[in-house]
Amino acid sequence: MEIGPIFRALLRNRTGAILIAVQIAFTLTVVLNAAVMINEQVSKAGRPSGLNEADTFHMQSEAIDTINPQVTINNDLRAIRETPGVANALQMNTIPLSNGGWSTGVRVQQGDDPPVYSAAMYMVDDQAIDTMQLKLIAGENFAASDVVWRKPDESGWPGRVIITKALAKSLFPDDSPETTVGRAILLGESPANIIGIVDQLQAPWTQSSQIESSVMVPQQFQTGSPRYLIRAEPGQRDRLMPEIEAQLAERERGRMIRNLYSMDEVRRRSYNLETGLAMILGFVMVVLLLITGLGILGLASLSVRRRIKQIGIRRALGASTRDVLRYFLIENLLITSSGVVLGAIMAVAFNIALVNAMNFPKIEWYGVPLGMVVLVLLGQLAVWGPARQACGVSPATATRTV
Amino acid sequence: MIFYYLRLAAISLRRNWGQTTLMILAIGLGIGVCMSIVTINYLMAKDPIPDKSSQLYYVQLDNWDPNRPAESPNEPPDQITWMDHQALMSAAKAFRQTGNASATAIIRKPDDDNFRPFLARIRGNHADFFPMFDVPFLYGTGWTSDAHRDWGADQVVVLSRETNDRLFGGEDSVGREITLGNPTEFSSNLFRVIGVLDEWRPVPRFYDLTSNYFSDPAEIFIPFGLILSQGLSRSGNTNCWKPTGDGLRAFLGSECVWIQYWTELRNHQEKADYMAYLDQYVTEQKEGGRFPRPLNNRLSNVNEWLDHENVVQPEAKMLLAVAVMFLVVCLLNTIGLLLSKFLGKSSEIGVRRALGASRGSLMYQYLVETAMIGFGGGLLGLLLTWLGLESMLAIFGSDASNLMRLDLNMVVAAVALAIASAIGAGLYPTWRACRIDPAAQLKSQ
Amino acid sequence: MLDMKGIARIYQTDLVRTHALRDLTLTVNEGDFTAVVGPSGSGKTTFLNIAGLLEDFDEGSYLLDGENVAGLNDRQRSKLRNEKIGFIFQGFNLIPDLNVFDNVDVPLRYRGFPAAERKRRIEEQLERFGLTGRIRHFPSQLSGGQQQRVAIARALAGDPRFLLADEPTGNLDSASASGVLDLLEGLHTSGTTIIMVTHDPALAARAPSSIHLQDGRVVGNDEAAA
Ligand SMILES: Nc1ncnc2c1ncn2[C@@H]1O[C@H](COP(=O)(O)OP(=O)(O)O)[C@@H](O)[C@H]1O
Ligand SMILES: [Mg+2]
């Protein structure tokens, strides 16, 4: 219909239109790439660890004042487990999600030079599966008699281990993980047999690419600074945290209790960078859309003001308010459409550059058209106000203004 | 004339306050977001020791697994073993050299029972560490390079300024004593303070990039050998590629790497000589059956090392690109609004020309107006930069506090960037306005 | 003295060349009051713009006070315009953002007068045109006749030797128009050189001399009437 004349009028005043179109193109580029990044960061920060995190917390006791820490650790554990409100507790060499821990290269025993997979080592006792509420999908738990003390300077590993499903899949790519119970593997140079498979137990390093590979060994670490992981009955965690801290400090004066954190807090700290990045990008994205919208609004209202007389003349010549409204909406549509087409190209190019330069997520196929539609709608929304204002121009303006 | 233009600008800006607000907001936000992110990038990437960064070299020796590199494609490990550390230190082939490693200890004051013990970050290093890295002293000195003391016969410490504030309320504590205890064993030993540092927090903590280098400066420095002889608890990364035996002795004789090694080499000749020495050393070791991989030693100066360790995260670079695009959008926005504003004044421009204004004076007038917007945007941008850094601090926690500091350079840069970008954005519209043909304007009645 | 010889002005657009002025030769002497008449599109405004150094010409020569303006740069032309020429427009062309005082102030600012001098001149002019009570008004708050008087005050504030008026009464009712003409006659008597473009023969008749333009050419010159 009237696209022709609107387009020709635009061409006569093209600088303004080009500016908006380029602005929209940049906005689309940033918004699309920020959106995939936000999506990735948020889902990374939210992926499950395999533990019941909501009810669990941990703490570390430093400088146990005794010649033999085994006694203190056993006493601590017994007292914690007996505290009302505690569901179960465990001594561990490290805490999932805490970004510090032990790792070993794991490989199968047969074949020459089999591939080595790096796995996290968790030293735990027979209460581990219950305390962390892990899901044992095949095989069996450790027996209490499996658990032995590990000296601080000991190397090598015990012969009965429980591994994660993901590690089993890596080690035995041809078999279903459930059937790998009983197989022989090497932890470093120590031979071991798989006695059980758990569905999930993440390694402590949140940035690791092999985060799903973990091994549990039936050992208690003989250390002067043991870490305890404690699961409370539902709803009791916050009450128990200070209570158990006080209880431990009370029982042995010389020691220091450190790192008293709920698992929620551990997760929050470990994924700080991811959530922070997502927040910053989200903010940038929203503000950018806002600025672009306001910019379109500002330019449109200026152009309405400049064209008051013209609009009056059109009205005097018989244009209805609908026609005037449509004029501005179509004009805006022409500008934003060229902007989003340019923007789609730029966004994909920028995305490809990012994917090549770093481990960056690709834009999904539907992301580009979705972003284009959003920006076109934004443009229409922004121009709506000034266009309504243009509709208010009286046809008499044509004769009155100089 | 400048006052006349300032007044004209004020009138014009007030007349269209909505538009003015929008432009100031756009520039302010653009600057704010851009500068917050640039500040972080700048602090991440800036040279932590500009005077000497090209003379300090980090040493890497490839003692790794014959079947796979420490890091792909073919990188040597990022630390060295105890055995190599001993050999390099006693050969002392560089102008200055120091190995260093981190540990933790529980700090107590033997003469003050009310003092609450705390866990401190300890750095073990050699005497050259202090002069090499231009470490400033407030009181006392570091230990001298006298080998006897350096290897740890004397139990002396150097405190950071913050630690001295915490322990001794900031007074000259040289000669006082503290105890360093092992957190995992119940043992502790007396140490005598021989020096207190002045403020020294290089960001990033270039001398040790193996952990948390944007936070956690060392709190207490002790002679390197004491980390082991006093049984302190080592806290840095330790990487091994083959099993070690049991016990400390076995660990020290193992291929596990855990020591960072720095040298000061004053010129190309010294660097070439040192490289030759390293190659010769490794070749000798190969005869003893160590170093199974091909010769692959590295000397990286400070900036090369920062680069190698990816101190500026790729995410930060991506954010920077996003921030720049954000600024571009804000500027395009401003250009559009200014253009539209100035072109809306065509008839005024025609009149002024008819009344004797030259193109130059109109240019001047509109640039003053643009600069005013730029100044407003700059101030707002500065405020938003500060707010941005504060909120990032809130998001990332105190770990990042070293990165979130707005130094004077950045303040000046923010204002300059704001005014420059506003004027940059204003230049084209102003130029267009001044090209307006006065005759055509006056005729079109 | 204003001396034009063989002036031609050609507008080249995509499709057509318009000869707005062809071979125009004319002299306006010190103290003249000349009307330029002709039908619409005959080149009157173009002539006035060239005379006022707002526009360039393609052929011929133009001496203003004996100075050849062809070789002047923008700055020099602006200076001449500012010091020697006053403009009055059909549409008044007051700056809507500035009040009466500031509007009259505009040419004085470019002249570089000190503040006291500017104030004196502005007040003198406004008083002369009976606008003293309107000093703080904005153009939109004035009637057409008042606006044109402000425009004349602005044109005269810098004591120009030439006053160029393009259809100065075109937008005014007949009473205001005649008032404006009275003013111009008064100025002429006090020695200002005036060139007034109009298409109204009745107004032109009140000027002592007139030039007729048609299709960019001088077709008549009735100085004899003076
Ligand atoms: N900028 C321009 N481009 C093309 N033609 C023009 C331009 N300005 C004036 N003209 C033409 O020059 C001729 C003289 O115009 P003008 O001097 O404005 O006439 P007048 O003032 O006598 O009505 C007209 O034919 C007009 O169409
Ligand atoms: Mg005309």
Side-chain angles (χ1 to χ4, degrees):
Chain A
M1 29 167 208
E2 46 188 345
I3 289 187
I6 297 177
F7 189 66
R8 282 192 293 281
L10 257 183
L11 283 186
R12 275 184 64 83
N13 249 318
R14 57 184 163 268
T15 322
I18 292 175
L19 284 172
I20 299 188
V22 174
Q23 193 178 330
I24 285 184
F26 273 104
T27 305
L28 187 63
T29 308
V30 170
V31 165
L32 280 178
N33 285 287
V36 289
M37 184 81 173
I38 291 171
N39 181 37
E40 179 177 86
Q41 301 296 326
V42 167
S43 54
K44 183 176 172 193
R47 62 191 172 181
S49 62
L51 270 73
N52 166 359
E53 290 176 35
D55 297 320
T56 310
F57 62 97
H58 77 96
M59 63 178 68
Q60 186 172 12
S61 160
E62 294 279 16
I64 295 175
D65 185 6
T66 173
I67 311 299
N68 184 359
Q70 295 185 6
V71 177
T72 314
I73 292 172
N74 281 339
N75 286 343
D76 283 349
L77 269 179
R78 190 174 319 114
I80 295 171
R81 283 173 178 158
E82 280 168 2
T83 308
V86 171
N88 207 341
L90 176 70
Q91 183 207 351
M92 291 181 98
N93 60 323
T94 184
I95 304 296
L97 296 175
S98 69
N99 276 320
W102 303 40
S103 78
T104 295
V106 182
R107 61 201 146 128
V108 298
Q109 275 187 22
Q110 340 79 341
D112 37 58
D113 203 17
V116 180
Y117 299 93
S118 166
M121 302 303 293
Y122 286 110
M123 302 168 196
V124 297
D125 64 16
D126 56 322
Q127 300 301 310
I129 289 183
D130 179 60
T131 305
M132 293 190 269
Q133 298 204 304
L134 306 178
K135 210 160 101 210
L136 189 69
I137 57 172
E140 57 187 25
N141 190 4
F142 299 123
S145 56
D146 289 337
V147 184
V148 293
W149 284 98
R150 182 192 178 92
K151 299 275 183 312
D153 51 6
E154 194 177 316
S155 61
W157 300 101
R160 284 163 64 81
V161 299
I162 298 176
I163 69 173
T164 57
K165 186 170 83 182
L167 180 58
K169 265 190 195 152
S170 308
L171 288 170
F172 307 100
D174 303 329
D175 304 314
S176 95
E178 287 81 0
T179 64
T180 61
V181 175
R183 301 281 181 92
I185 55 174
L186 284 173
L187 304 173
E189 302 301 324
S190 313
N193 280 309
I194 301 171
I195 66 156
I197 307 283
V198 289
D199 189 42
Q200 192 188 26
L201 171 60
Q202 282 191 335
W205 306 280
T206 50
Q207 304 304 327
S208 162
S209 57
Q210 308 200 28
I211 190 168
E212 299 297 343
S213 293
S214 304
V215 176
M216 290 196 284
V217 291
Q219 283 185 325
Q220 264 191 293
F221 189 32
Q222 179 185 323
T223 169
S225 47
R227 290 185 170 86
Y228 302 119
L229 185 80
I230 301 156
R231 179 165 63 83
E233 302 286 3
Q236 304 285 309
R237 185 192 72 191
D238 295 343
R239 176 180 66 80
L240 282 174
M241 285 174 65
E243 194 180 309
I244 292 183
E245 182 190 18
Q247 181 196 333
L248 289 192
E250 186 69 18
R251 233 188 11 265
E252 205 175 282
R253 289 287 171 149
R255 71 170 150 192
M256 237 170 76
I257 303 295
R258 289 206 309 140
N259 293 334
L260 174 67
Y261 295 120
S262 68
M263 285 310 287
D264 289 344
E265 175 70 9
V266 175
R267 171 176 287 276
R268 201 187 59 69
R269 286 166 161 253
S270 291
Y271 287 112
N272 215 337
L273 185 71
E274 285 77 8
T275 41
L277 206 57
M279 280 167 81
I280 293 173
L281 283 172
F283 175 79
V284 166
M285 203 167 110
V286 169
V287 172
L288 196 58
L289 287 173
L290 205 73
I291 288 215
T292 305
L294 283 176
I296 295 174
L297 192 147
L299 277 180
S301 82
L302 278 170
S303 93
V304 166
R305 216 179 311 158
R306 201 139 34 100
R307 283 187 279 188
I308 293 265
K309 181 165 181 190
Q310 207 193 105
I311 299 163
I313 295 168
R314 278 173 195 279
R315 296 278 282 124
L317 295 176
S320 69
T321 48
R322 282 178 70 97
D323 295 328
V324 174
L325 190 66
R326 201 163 55 212
Y327 184 97
F328 282 95
L329 291 183
I330 291 178
E331 187 187 63
N332 176 265
L333 193 67
L334 287 174
I335 300 172
T336 45
S337 326
S338 47
V340 293
V341 169
L342 177 64
I345 298 168
M346 282 167 55
V348 172
F350 185 49
N351 189 246
I352 291 173
L354 288 174
V355 169
N356 289 339
M358 62 177 107
N359 188 9
F360 198 86
K362 277 209 182 75
I363 301 177
E364 299 287 340
W365 66 267
Y366 56 81
V368 176
L370 189 71
M372 289 168 83
V373 169
V374 166
L375 274 173
V376 168
L377 287 181
L378 179 78
Q380 295 284 293
L381 191 74
V383 87
W384 184 259
R388 291 294 315 173
Q389 199 186 329
C391 295
V393 172
S394 132
T397 323
T399 51
R400 270 200 276 107
T401 41
V402 182
Chain B
M1 234 26 200
I2 178 81
F3 292 105
Y4 181 54
Y5 292 144
L6 283 173
R7 218 180 106 232
L8 288 180
I11 291 174
S12 155
L13 293 177
R14 214 171 33 221
R15 279 248 145 174
N16 292 305
W17 63 268
Q19 202 188 349
T20 308
T21 319
L22 199 59
M23 286 188 285
I24 291 186
L25 207 68
I27 295 188
L29 274 166
I31 301 287
V33 167
C34 203
M35 287 308 288
S36 321
I37 291 169
V38 168
T39 303
I40 290 174
N41 268 274
Y42 156 84
L43 290 174
M44 277 179 168
K46 89 174 170 189
D47 189 339
I49 179 164
D51 292 342
K52 293 183 87 170
S53 56
S54 56
Q55 293 173 29
L56 298 172
Y57 287 90
Y58 192 79
V59 175
Q60 282 172 283
L61 305 173
D62 200 345
N63 67 326
W64 220 243
D65 188 337
N67 298 318
R68 51 202 125 244
E71 208 184 301
S72 55
N74 184 28
E75 294 298 311
D78 59 358
Q79 302 181 95
I80 66 170
T81 63
W82 167 260
M83 294 183 287
D84 297 326
H85 167 264
Q86 296 297 86
L88 264 49
M89 271 317 283
S90 44
K93 294 286 188 197
F95 172 60
R96 287 180 177 132
Q97 51 248 303
T98 181
N100 71 97
S102 59
T104 52
I106 295 182
I107 308 302
R108 295 191 176 82
K109 276 169 84 173
D111 47 359
D112 182 357
D113 289 339
N114 293 326
F115 184 79
R116 275 194 55 167
F118 67 96
L119 206 66
R121 288 183 296 274
I122 311 292
R123 178 138 310 258
N125 55 271
H126 296 277
D128 279 352
F129 184 93
F130 302 107
M132 261 173 96
F133 295 141
D134 283 341
V135 183
F137 276 84
L138 190 62
Y139 307 119
T141 58
W143 49 95
T144 62
S145 60
D146 170 10
H148 181 63
R149 299 176 68 154
D150 202 11
W151 290 106
D154 279 355
Q155 301 196 6
V156 293
V157 293
V158 167
L159 306 179
S160 77
R161 189 173 175 155
E162 293 81 16
T163 312
N164 189 50
D165 289 348
R166 184 165 181 176
L167 280 163
F168 300 106
E171 65 191 42
D172 183 352
S173 58
V174 171
R176 307 277 294 267
E177 288 182 322
I178 59 173
T179 70
L180 269 60
N182 183 326
T184 59
E185 291 162 29
F186 192 72
S187 66
S188 66
N189 291 292
L190 263 190
F191 282 76
R192 184 167 46 81
V193 177
I194 60 161
V196 175
L197 299 191
D198 205 342
E199 195 67 42
W200 189 61
R201 299 177 148 244
V203 177
R205 187 190 60 200
F206 66 96
Y207 55 84
D208 177 3
L209 295 179
T210 58
S211 66
N212 248 345
Y213 39 78
F214 287 125
S215 56
D216 302 355
E219 293 169 314
I220 294 182
F221 299 81
I222 63 172
F224 185 87
L226 296 187
I227 287 189
L228 297 169
S229 68
Q230 302 295 309
L232 299 181
S233 152
R234 287 186 307 106
S235 65
N237 282 344
T238 301
N239 290 304
C240 311
W241 61 271
K242 66 180 187 191
T244 64
D246 292 350
L248 179 64
R249 187 168 292 280
F251 175 70
L252 294 182
S254 76
E255 292 293 344
C256 295
V257 296
W258 57 280
I259 300 168
Q260 298 117 43
Y261 200 86
W262 285 95
T263 54
E264 181 172 349
L265 305 166
R266 290 166 297 179
N267 50 46
H268 284 299
Q269 191 52 48
E270 286 193 5
K271 184 189 171 194
D273 290 350
Y274 200 76
M275 196 67 203
Y277 159 69
L278 288 180
D279 288 348
Q280 177 217 331
Y281 168 73
V282 170
T283 311
E284 279 169 23
Q285 291 291 309
K286 276 174 181 290
E287 282 161 22
R290 291 187 61 217
F291 290 92
R293 296 179 65 75
L295 212 55
N296 185 20
N297 303 323
R298 305 280 173 89
L299 279 177
S300 319
N301 69 27
V302 173
N303 288 318
E304 289 164 351
W305 185 236
L306 294 179
D307 212 34
H308 182 269
E309 294 294 278
N310 266 329
V311 165
V312 181
Q313 303 283 318
E315 283 85 0
K317 287 185 187 154
M318 180 256 176
L319 267 186
L320 190 64
V322 163
V324 169
M325 284 194 235
F326 187 95
L327 186 62
V328 167
V329 170
C330 292
L331 291 186
L332 286 175
N333 212 319
T334 311
I335 293 178
L337 289 170
L338 276 176
L339 190 65
S340 162
K341 180 186 177 95
F342 288 164
L343 294 187
K345 290 189 176 191
S346 314
S347 73
E348 172 179 338
I349 292 167
V351 179
R352 285 190 180 273
R353 297 276 284 139
L355 294 175
S358 63
R359 263 193 208 116
S361 51
L362 281 178
M363 191 91 183
Y364 191 3
Q365 176 188 338
Y366 290 119
L367 280 182
V368 168
E369 188 165 337
T370 326
M372 235 154 118
I373 296 170
F375 193 70
L379 284 185
L380 180 68
L382 204 59
L383 183 75
L384 290 177
T385 306
W386 176 73
L387 270 179
L389 290 177
E390 284 294 306
S391 44
M392 282 194 228
L393 193 61
I395 292 173
F396 290 123
S398 55
D399 270 7
S401 58
N402 282 320
L403 273 184
M404 305 295 169
R405 270 187 283 178
L406 196 56
D407 63 17
L408 192 67
N409 284 346
M410 293 317 277
V411 172
V412 173
V415 175
L417 179 67
I419 296 185
S421 40
I423 291 189
L427 227 45
Y428 176 69
T430 310
W431 180 78
R432 281 279 301 267
C434 297
R435 304 304 314 171
I436 287 173
D437 176 14
Q441 280 311 312
L442 300 169
K443 221 185 272 183
S444 66
Q445 295 160 17
Chain C
M1 208 181 78
L2 186 155
D3 192 11
M4 290 185 177
K5 278 205 181 67
I7 295 284
R9 177 74 172 118
I10 300 157
Y11 291 113
Q12 176 74 57
T13 53
D14 293 348
L15 298 173
V16 279
R17 279 161 72 95
T18 311
H19 285 262
L21 292 178
R22 321 167 191 243
D23 192 22
L24 179 112
T25 300
L26 111 165
T27 306
V28 175
N29 288 313
E30 202 79 43
D32 280 1
F33 182 177
T34 306
V36 180
V37 280
S40 184
S42 58
K44 305 182 295 291
T45 301
T46 306
F47 159 71
L48 206 69
N49 282 343
I50 290 174
L53 306 181
L54 279 173
E55 217 174 309
D56 279 327
F57 45 90
D58 301 304
E59 285 166 27
S61 72
Y62 170 23
L63 305 182
L64 181 64
D65 280 340
E67 187 175 3
N68 188 352
V69 301
L72 301 181
N73 65 19
D74 177 66
R75 183 176 283 276
Q76 293 163 321
R77 292 161 72 96
S78 300
K79 191 162 163 4
L80 274 183
R81 213 159 47 224
N82 184 251
E83 289 173 2
K84 295 196 172 165
I85 298 166
F87 272 102
I88 306 173
F89 310 95
Q90 176 178 11
F92 322 138
N93 273 331
L94 296 179
I95 297 175
D97 286 354
L98 301 181
N99 64 25
V100 167
F101 184 95
D102 287 335
N103 260 291
V104 179
D105 192 27
V106 171
L108 304 178
R109 289 282 187 168
Y110 294 123
R111 191 72 159 271
F113 284 135
E117 169 78 3
R118 292 199 320 264
K119 190 166 182 317
R120 188 185 64 70
R121 281 173 178 256
I122 296 167
E123 281 169 356
E124 182 188 302
Q125 291 300 334
L126 290 178
E127 194 182 323
R128 180 169 170 198
F129 296 112
L131 290 160
T132 316
R134 301 272 180 267
I135 269 187
R136 299 280 161 229
H137 283 53
F138 282 89
S140 57
Q141 299 165 324
L142 299 175
S143 74
Q146 285 168 331
Q147 287 192 37
Q148 192 59 303
R149 276 186 281 150
V150 175
I152 296 173
R154 185 175 68 180
L156 294 176
D159 279 335
R161 302 237 316 285
F162 301 94
L163 190 61
L164 307 184
D166 190 1
E167 315 258 8
T169 59
N171 278 324
L172 297 176
D173 58 275
S174 58
S176 305
S178 140
V180 166
L181 220 70
D182 291 345
L183 279 175
L184 293 183
E185 277 174 344
L187 290 172
H188 175 231
T189 345
S190 56
T192 311
T193 311
I194 299 176
I195 303 174
M196 176 180 74
V197 163
T198 179
H199 60 264
D200 182 350
L203 286 180
R206 289 178 66 173
S209 64
S210 59
I211 299 164
H212 290 266
L213 285 184
Q214 189 147 18
D215 286 338
R217 271 187 246 269
V218 182
V219 294
N221 217 335
D222 55 356
E223 242 157 311

